[in-house]
Amino acid sequence: MPTSSCHPGIIPHWSPLNSKIEQKENKYIIMDLRDFYLLAALIACLRLDSAIAQELIYTIREELPENVPIGNIPKDLNISHINAATGTSASLVYRLVSKAGDAPLVKVSSSTGEIFTTSNRIDREKLCAGAAYAEENECFFELEVVILPNDFFRLIKIKIVVKDTNDNAPMFPSPVINISIPENTLINSRFPIPSATDPDTGFNGVQHYELLNGQSVFGLDIVETPEGEKWPQLIVQQNLDREQKDTYVMKIKVEDGGTPQKSSTAILQVTVSDVNDNRPVFKEGQVEVHIPENAPVGTSVIQLHATDADVGSNAEIRYIFGAQVAPATKRLFALNNTTGLITVQRSLDREETAIHKVTVLASDGSSTPARATVTINVTDVNDNPPNIDLRYIISPINGTVYLSEKDPVNTKIALITVSDKDTDVNGKVICFIEREVPFHLKAVYDNQYLLETSSLLDYEGTKEFSFKIVASDSGKPSLNQTALVRVKLEDENDNPPIFSQPVIELSVSENNRRGLYLTTISATDEDSGKNADIVYQLGPNASFFDLDRKTGVLTASRVFDREEQERFIFTVTARDNGTPPLQSQAAVIVTVLDENDNSPKFTHNHFQFFVSENLPKYSTVGVITVTDADAGENKAVTLSILNDNDNFVLDPYSGVIKSNVSFDREQQSSYTFDVKATDGGQPPRSSTAKVTINVMDVNDNSPVVISPPSNTSFKLVPLSAIPGSVVAEVFAVDIDTGMNAELKYTIVSGNNKGLFRIDPVTGNITLEEKPAPTDVGLHRLVVNISDLGYPKSLHTLVLVFLYVNDTAGNASYIYDLIRRTMETPLDRNIGDSSQPYQNEDYLTIMIAIVAGAMVVIVVIFVTVLVRCRHASRFKAAQRSKQGAEWMSPNQEHKQNKKKKRKKRKSPKSSLLNFVTIEESKPDDAVHEPINGTISLPAELEEQSIGRFDWGPAPPTTFKPNSPDLAKHYKSASPQPAFHLKPDTPVSVKKHHVIQELPLDNTFVGGCDTLSKRSSTSSDHFSASECSSQGGFKTKGPLHTRQVNEHFYWSISTAYKCPANQY
């Protein structure tokens, strides 16, 4: 009796088997008692463990696309993720047990247990090919899924039933069907037509035939056989006459019942033949036979016999296979066309096809052959040994499974499926391990086992196991199959490498050579073998270093530059060759030592600073910033000026440049010199840069009138002059620059009739309208010429006389009129009388009145002047006190400023509302002094004439690439940020202007500070006061005319004395 091995927890149990009685030559062989006990033991070993083995059945349709869900294992089996022993939740892993090289038809999600279709198409006709799979037979395939880990292990057997879809069209055996019908065929006679075949089953198979173009001669009928086959029959509906027509060509269409419906057609050609009125007849229309699968080639299967009542050639019967016989069946069996004997033509295999249905036609040459159906049943013999399907749960390497010595008991290694193609007793298989090893087989289904560890493994005891798994069937004789399993144990790597120092500190000088040796890094490992083999590896941020992986020698792979990076911090990893590898890390700190390899570097190759021309001496004008990328003494930089002629002083450490001169843009607009920076290294390194000090203009010059040449000249305006013609020109210049030199011309008085207009840019005076007779006479225009300076605008007044008349024959008379207009205030029109200066008597009276009024005004003027001088002294005392609070050590500069103010001869107080005219007294006594006062217009006092709207801020005059001094102080300078202020503050004061002109060049001059506001700015980038000098700053006189009389004009800002000063 063969030995058997069962799971220790399974009690052997044998289910009773029907004894097989085989009849052979009237002798019976009955199973003996020994075989019965053997079968009982086999069945006992196959008892299932229901705790870990379960089954699922799903039904799907064929030809489904990829990723179509089929089922959900945990949901369908109500699998809990809670460990019953510990009460904790665990992540289950679902794994499809597949054979290497198989193309899986479905896939299982490892995390969710969901089953989906794959890209491999499920074709029912291919999966279940063969005649044995009819409509009533299920087409299915099976698969196994295991659930891991071991605490939750289950083996799920899944059966997937594949339902048919209408994916095949029915087809006739030939595209052209030929039928011969005797001409004496009676009406309603029927002739069989070869049936169409459809690989689909059920309603998707052949359902309907249709005759197309029957020509009313033929009809079609369908006969259904007991097996469910539909046979088409051609019905003769009219008498045939071969002599009239011997051939009929039609079409026959076959359709299935699927959705969508599929169909095909064939050409049906009917030939009318002569009469043969008897057809062959089989003795049995349905025959069933049995033949063993090991029947040799040539074995007779059955002898068919058909008879024909006809005689002669019409009685000669020919046997052929029907069109429905499968090609595979025709290859296995041969049919003698004359005798009707069916024999075995090739070796049979019941496991491939168990039942063959053969249709045999017996024809005597007529169009209606006889039909017989032979069912051949192939019986089983024990000709197939058991098959062992070994599928590993733990993937093997070169056929060997590697286990760790710390793996627990019952570790699943493989799923073993045993099968036998034979049936009944020949297909019953038992499975066991042939020798004692720490592994066992655990049955989960009647033909499946799990290979597990049965005890703890010890690498030191046994390093490798090699054993066989035996599968044996119960046939006579018994057939066996073995599978070899190799298992190797692995040592555990449980000690990481250890560095001798967790932090390694090194120092190296910059500008080193490549490959310079730095140190050797070493670590030790307490393991042995490959687990103790250590390799070293650099971590990130270590691109400047090379490390030998085996020796741990650390070298420099690049040249270090301390200025780019002073310190390198990276890690070194020591890793052993264990599986999994263990590692540890140490920190490496490399400090780069400095060398004097960098020269001082200026932030700009060319420094440009901008200062106002009124900046006091010894004021800060800029800061030179220089850097040195080295460290320590190598970066200590000192500065010096190379070629300046002592105009500036440079602090060698802070880089602050101070002026040693007083700036006057009109004298010198810029200063340029070189500075040198030297570091403290050995040997020292140096560099140079250029410095340019640009002196910015301050609005300190009033406009100077060029035309008209004097305040006593006039222009003739004829009555015939047309509007728009230029009648006079006013032209002035300003020796300042930029906006400070831009001028604007405005008529502020004397044009109350609007007869004239002045161009604000060119100064051309044009006629607005044609002069009328009432306009004849002298017209005096007061023109204000103001610049667009910032923050204070300066201006000059000029008198333009226009004499409207056809001629100017008496020039002395006109000059006399001009001289007399000097007595009229500037805010009044000299032509207010109906005939100005035409009546001499009226002129005499007016002179007397004016003379009397001037006496009164002179008295008032003297009184006010005395009081205002007292107020000015009080004001000067206050300013002196205030200036003392702002006093700087530079007293010499303050004295120079006082001298400069004194040189300008600016009066300390004056009246805005009066213009004093004094005639210079020559040596001869002919000339008599003429005194008079003229009031200025009110708008001059308010300074609304010629003001330029600068907007919120003045435009900068800096060049685009010039350094921003304020920003430079705050960011680029190594010194603390500070604000630039002049050493000597500018005192708060009123702006004064005095212009003394000869009668030949007498202009009314003024300063834009006639408003009651005063400047308190100390910014050296802007002007803080306007010039008190009313004349030109020119190299030579502009006019040298000789005249008999000289007038001196004095216009100054009115000083309103406070009430408490009187």
Side-chain angles (χ1 to χ4, degrees), residues 910-928:
S910 59
L911 291 176
L912 176 63
N913 295 328
F914 301 98
V915 176
T916 302
I917 304 173
E918 296 180 356
E919 184 180 11
S920 60
K921 191 172 183 180
D923 296 336
D924 58 280
V926 179
H927 297 85
E928 295 179 359

PDB file of all heavy atoms in Angstrom, residues 910-928:
ATOM      1  N   SER A 910      13.163 147.303   3.166  1.00  0.00           N
ATOM      2  CA  SER A 910      12.713 148.199   2.103  1.00  0.00           C
ATOM      3  C   SER A 910      11.226 148.075   1.989  1.00  0.00           C
ATOM      4  O   SER A 910      10.607 147.230   2.617  1.00  0.00           O
ATOM      5  CB  SER A 910      13.416 147.846   0.793  1.00  0.00           C
ATOM      6  OG  SER A 910      13.117 146.513   0.455  1.00  0.00           O
ATOM      7  N   LEU A 911      10.658 148.953   1.128  1.00  0.00           N
ATOM      8  CA  LEU A 911       9.205 148.967   0.940  1.00  0.00           C
ATOM      9  C   LEU A 911       8.886 148.401  -0.420  1.00  0.00           C
ATOM     10  O   LEU A 911       9.496 148.753  -1.413  1.00  0.00           O
ATOM     11  CB  LEU A 911       8.665 150.401   1.064  1.00  0.00           C
ATOM     12  CG  LEU A 911       8.732 151.007   2.465  1.00  0.00           C
ATOM     13  CD1 LEU A 911       8.255 152.443   2.411  1.00  0.00           C
ATOM     14  CD2 LEU A 911       7.911 150.215   3.437  1.00  0.00           C
ATOM     15  N   LEU A 912       7.902 147.526  -0.438  1.00  0.00           N
ATOM     16  CA  LEU A 912       7.465 146.935  -1.686  1.00  0.00           C
ATOM     17  C   LEU A 912       6.603 147.891  -2.488  1.00  0.00           C
ATOM     18  O   LEU A 912       6.607 147.879  -3.715  1.00  0.00           O
ATOM     19  CB  LEU A 912       6.694 145.634  -1.409  1.00  0.00           C
ATOM     20  CG  LEU A 912       6.067 144.932  -2.617  1.00  0.00           C
ATOM     21  CD1 LEU A 912       7.162 144.488  -3.584  1.00  0.00           C
ATOM     22  CD2 LEU A 912       5.227 143.767  -2.165  1.00  0.00           C
ATOM     23  N   ASN A 913       5.887 148.760  -1.822  1.00  0.00           N
ATOM     24  CA  ASN A 913       4.865 149.553  -2.512  1.00  0.00           C
ATOM     25  C   ASN A 913       5.400 150.853  -3.132  1.00  0.00           C
ATOM     26  O   ASN A 913       4.620 151.666  -3.605  1.00  0.00           O
ATOM     27  CB  ASN A 913       3.757 149.918  -1.536  1.00  0.00           C
ATOM     28  CG  ASN A 913       3.030 148.665  -1.064  1.00  0.00           C
ATOM     29  OD1 ASN A 913       2.929 147.717  -1.826  1.00  0.00           O
ATOM     30  ND2 ASN A 913       2.537 148.677   0.172  1.00  0.00           N
ATOM     31  N   PHE A 914       6.681 151.038  -3.073  1.00  0.00           N
ATOM     32  CA  PHE A 914       7.205 152.307  -3.610  1.00  0.00           C
ATOM     33  C   PHE A 914       8.411 152.040  -4.478  1.00  0.00           C
ATOM     34  O   PHE A 914       9.203 151.147  -4.222  1.00  0.00           O
ATOM     35  CB  PHE A 914       7.624 153.257  -2.479  1.00  0.00           C
ATOM     36  CG  PHE A 914       6.486 153.581  -1.552  1.00  0.00           C
ATOM     37  CD1 PHE A 914       6.323 152.915  -0.374  1.00  0.00           C
ATOM     38  CD2 PHE A 914       5.572 154.576  -1.908  1.00  0.00           C
ATOM     39  CE1 PHE A 914       5.270 153.221   0.456  1.00  0.00           C
ATOM     40  CE2 PHE A 914       4.526 154.867  -1.059  1.00  0.00           C
ATOM     41  CZ  PHE A 914       4.362 154.201   0.133  1.00  0.00           C
ATOM     42  N   VAL A 915       8.576 152.905  -5.476  1.00  0.00           N
ATOM     43  CA  VAL A 915       9.775 152.943  -6.305  1.00  0.00           C
ATOM     44  C   VAL A 915      10.320 154.355  -6.232  1.00  0.00           C
ATOM     45  O   VAL A 915       9.624 155.326  -6.562  1.00  0.00           O
ATOM     46  CB  VAL A 915       9.469 152.574  -7.764  1.00  0.00           C
ATOM     47  CG1 VAL A 915      10.712 152.727  -8.621  1.00  0.00           C
ATOM     48  CG2 VAL A 915       8.938 151.156  -7.836  1.00  0.00           C
ATOM     49  N   THR A 916      11.521 154.479  -5.781  1.00  0.00           N
ATOM     50  CA  THR A 916      12.127 155.811  -5.599  1.00  0.00           C
ATOM     51  C   THR A 916      12.960 156.155  -6.822  1.00  0.00           C
ATOM     52  O   THR A 916      13.795 155.365  -7.254  1.00  0.00           O
ATOM     53  CB  THR A 916      13.003 155.832  -4.342  1.00  0.00           C
ATOM     54  OG1 THR A 916      12.201 155.472  -3.232  1.00  0.00           O
ATOM     55  CG2 THR A 916      13.593 157.207  -4.128  1.00  0.00           C
ATOM     56  N   ILE A 917      12.750 157.331  -7.351  1.00  0.00           N
ATOM     57  CA  ILE A 917      13.493 157.804  -8.520  1.00  0.00           C
ATOM     58  C   ILE A 917      14.358 158.970  -8.066  1.00  0.00           C
ATOM     59  O   ILE A 917      13.855 159.981  -7.587  1.00  0.00           O
ATOM     60  CB  ILE A 917      12.532 158.267  -9.633  1.00  0.00           C
ATOM     61  CG1 ILE A 917      11.570 157.120  -9.989  1.00  0.00           C
ATOM     62  CG2 ILE A 917      13.289 158.738 -10.853  1.00  0.00           C
ATOM     63  CD1 ILE A 917      10.488 157.526 -10.940  1.00  0.00           C
ATOM     64  N   GLU A 918      15.638 158.761  -8.173  1.00  0.00           N
ATOM     65  CA  GLU A 918      16.579 159.824  -7.788  1.00  0.00           C
ATOM     66  C   GLU A 918      17.459 160.158  -8.982  1.00  0.00           C
ATOM     67  O   GLU A 918      18.003 159.274  -9.639  1.00  0.00           O
ATOM     68  CB  GLU A 918      17.448 159.359  -6.613  1.00  0.00           C
ATOM     69  CG  GLU A 918      16.640 159.094  -5.334  1.00  0.00           C
ATOM     70  CD  GLU A 918      17.548 158.638  -4.216  1.00  0.00           C
ATOM     71  OE1 GLU A 918      18.768 158.465  -4.486  1.00  0.00           O
ATOM     72  OE2 GLU A 918      17.063 158.476  -3.109  1.00  0.00           O
ATOM     73  N   GLU A 919      17.570 161.431  -9.235  1.00  0.00           N
ATOM     74  CA  GLU A 919      18.420 161.877 -10.346  1.00  0.00           C
ATOM     75  C   GLU A 919      19.825 162.128  -9.805  1.00  0.00           C
ATOM     76  O   GLU A 919      20.009 162.783  -8.793  1.00  0.00           O
ATOM     77  CB  GLU A 919      17.859 163.166 -10.961  1.00  0.00           C
ATOM     78  CG  GLU A 919      18.639 163.631 -12.182  1.00  0.00           C
ATOM     79  CD  GLU A 919      18.040 164.900 -12.735  1.00  0.00           C
ATOM     80  OE1 GLU A 919      17.177 165.495 -12.049  1.00  0.00           O
ATOM     81  OE2 GLU A 919      18.432 165.312 -13.828  1.00  0.00           O
ATOM     82  N   SER A 920      20.801 161.589 -10.463  1.00  0.00           N
ATOM     83  CA  SER A 920      22.185 161.834 -10.035  1.00  0.00           C
ATOM     84  C   SER A 920      22.550 163.291 -10.293  1.00  0.00           C
ATOM     85  O   SER A 920      22.156 163.890 -11.284  1.00  0.00           O
ATOM     86  CB  SER A 920      23.135 160.903 -10.811  1.00  0.00           C
ATOM     87  OG  SER A 920      23.033 161.145 -12.190  1.00  0.00           O
ATOM     88  N   LYS A 921      23.281 163.797  -9.386  1.00  0.00           N
ATOM     89  CA  LYS A 921      23.590 165.236  -9.418  1.00  0.00           C
ATOM     90  C   LYS A 921      24.937 165.459 -10.079  1.00  0.00           C
ATOM     91  O   LYS A 921      25.970 165.117  -9.541  1.00  0.00           O
ATOM     92  CB  LYS A 921      23.617 165.788  -7.986  1.00  0.00           C
ATOM     93  CG  LYS A 921      23.665 167.311  -7.941  1.00  0.00           C
ATOM     94  CD  LYS A 921      23.487 167.763  -6.515  1.00  0.00           C
ATOM     95  CE  LYS A 921      23.448 169.288  -6.427  1.00  0.00           C
ATOM     96  NZ  LYS A 921      23.281 169.762  -5.037  1.00  0.00           N
ATOM     97  N   PRO A 922      24.949 166.017 -11.278  1.00  0.00           N
ATOM     98  CA  PRO A 922      26.236 166.277 -11.942  1.00  0.00           C
ATOM     99  C   PRO A 922      26.900 167.519 -11.377  1.00  0.00           C
ATOM    100  O   PRO A 922      26.390 168.189 -10.516  1.00  0.00           O
ATOM    101  CB  PRO A 922      25.806 166.443 -13.408  1.00  0.00           C
ATOM    102  CG  PRO A 922      24.406 166.929 -13.342  1.00  0.00           C
ATOM    103  CD  PRO A 922      23.792 166.340 -12.128  1.00  0.00           C
ATOM    104  N   ASP A 923      28.060 167.823 -11.963  1.00  0.00           N
ATOM    105  CA  ASP A 923      28.837 168.957 -11.456  1.00  0.00           C
ATOM    106  C   ASP A 923      28.169 170.296 -11.741  1.00  0.00           C
ATOM    107  O   ASP A 923      28.234 171.218 -10.939  1.00  0.00           O
ATOM    108  CB  ASP A 923      30.264 168.938 -12.069  1.00  0.00           C
ATOM    109  CG  ASP A 923      31.011 167.711 -11.630  1.00  0.00           C
ATOM    110  OD1 ASP A 923      30.651 167.173 -10.566  1.00  0.00           O
ATOM    111  OD2 ASP A 923      31.948 167.288 -12.345  1.00  0.00           O
ATOM    112  N   ASP A 924      27.533 170.383 -12.921  1.00  0.00           N
ATOM    113  CA  ASP A 924      26.931 171.672 -13.227  1.00  0.00           C
ATOM    114  C   ASP A 924      25.639 171.813 -12.479  1.00  0.00           C
ATOM    115  O   ASP A 924      25.003 170.837 -12.097  1.00  0.00           O
ATOM    116  CB  ASP A 924      26.722 171.796 -14.746  1.00  0.00           C
ATOM    117  CG  ASP A 924      25.867 170.677 -15.268  1.00  0.00           C
ATOM    118  OD1 ASP A 924      26.411 169.522 -15.471  1.00  0.00           O
ATOM    119  OD2 ASP A 924      24.681 170.887 -15.443  1.00  0.00           O
ATOM    120  N   ALA A 925      25.209 173.051 -12.289  1.00  0.00           N
ATOM    121  CA  ALA A 925      24.009 173.332 -11.495  1.00  0.00           C
ATOM    122  C   ALA A 925      22.775 173.406 -12.323  1.00  0.00           C
ATOM    123  O   ALA A 925      21.724 173.811 -11.853  1.00  0.00           O
ATOM    124  CB  ALA A 925      24.211 174.660 -10.736  1.00  0.00           C
ATOM    125  N   VAL A 926      22.849 173.020 -13.593  1.00  0.00           N
ATOM    126  CA  VAL A 926      21.666 173.115 -14.455  1.00  0.00           C
ATOM    127  C   VAL A 926      20.639 172.092 -14.072  1.00  0.00           C
ATOM    128  O   VAL A 926      19.438 172.336 -14.101  1.00  0.00           O
ATOM    129  CB  VAL A 926      22.090 172.938 -15.915  1.00  0.00           C
ATOM    130  CG1 VAL A 926      20.887 172.994 -16.827  1.00  0.00           C
ATOM    131  CG2 VAL A 926      23.124 173.993 -16.294  1.00  0.00           C
ATOM    132  N   HIS A 927      21.133 170.915 -13.710  1.00  0.00           N
ATOM    133  CA  HIS A 927      20.210 169.811 -13.389  1.00  0.00           C
ATOM    134  C   HIS A 927      19.664 169.980 -12.002  1.00  0.00           C
ATOM    135  O   HIS A 927      20.395 170.245 -11.069  1.00  0.00           O
ATOM    136  CB  HIS A 927      20.955 168.474 -13.504  1.00  0.00           C
ATOM    137  CG  HIS A 927      21.441 168.204 -14.895  1.00  0.00           C
ATOM    138  ND1 HIS A 927      22.641 168.704 -15.370  1.00  0.00           N
ATOM    139  CD2 HIS A 927      20.892 167.499 -15.914  1.00  0.00           C
ATOM    140  CE1 HIS A 927      22.829 168.307 -16.601  1.00  0.00           C
ATOM    141  NE2 HIS A 927      21.755 167.557 -16.960  1.00  0.00           N
ATOM    142  N   GLU A 928      18.399 169.800 -11.927  1.00  0.00           N
ATOM    143  CA  GLU A 928      17.720 169.866 -10.633  1.00  0.00           C
ATOM    144  C   GLU A 928      17.196 168.482 -10.273  1.00  0.00           C
ATOM    145  O   GLU A 928      16.754 167.708 -11.139  1.00  0.00           O
ATOM    146  CB  GLU A 928      16.559 170.850 -10.698  1.00  0.00           C
ATOM    147  CG  GLU A 928      17.004 172.283 -10.941  1.00  0.00           C
ATOM    148  CD  GLU A 928      15.827 173.219 -11.022  1.00  0.00           C
ATOM    149  OE1 GLU A 928      14.686 172.695 -10.897  1.00  0.00           O
ATOM    150  OE2 GLU A 928      16.046 174.401 -11.198  1.00  0.00           O
TER     151      GLU A 928
END
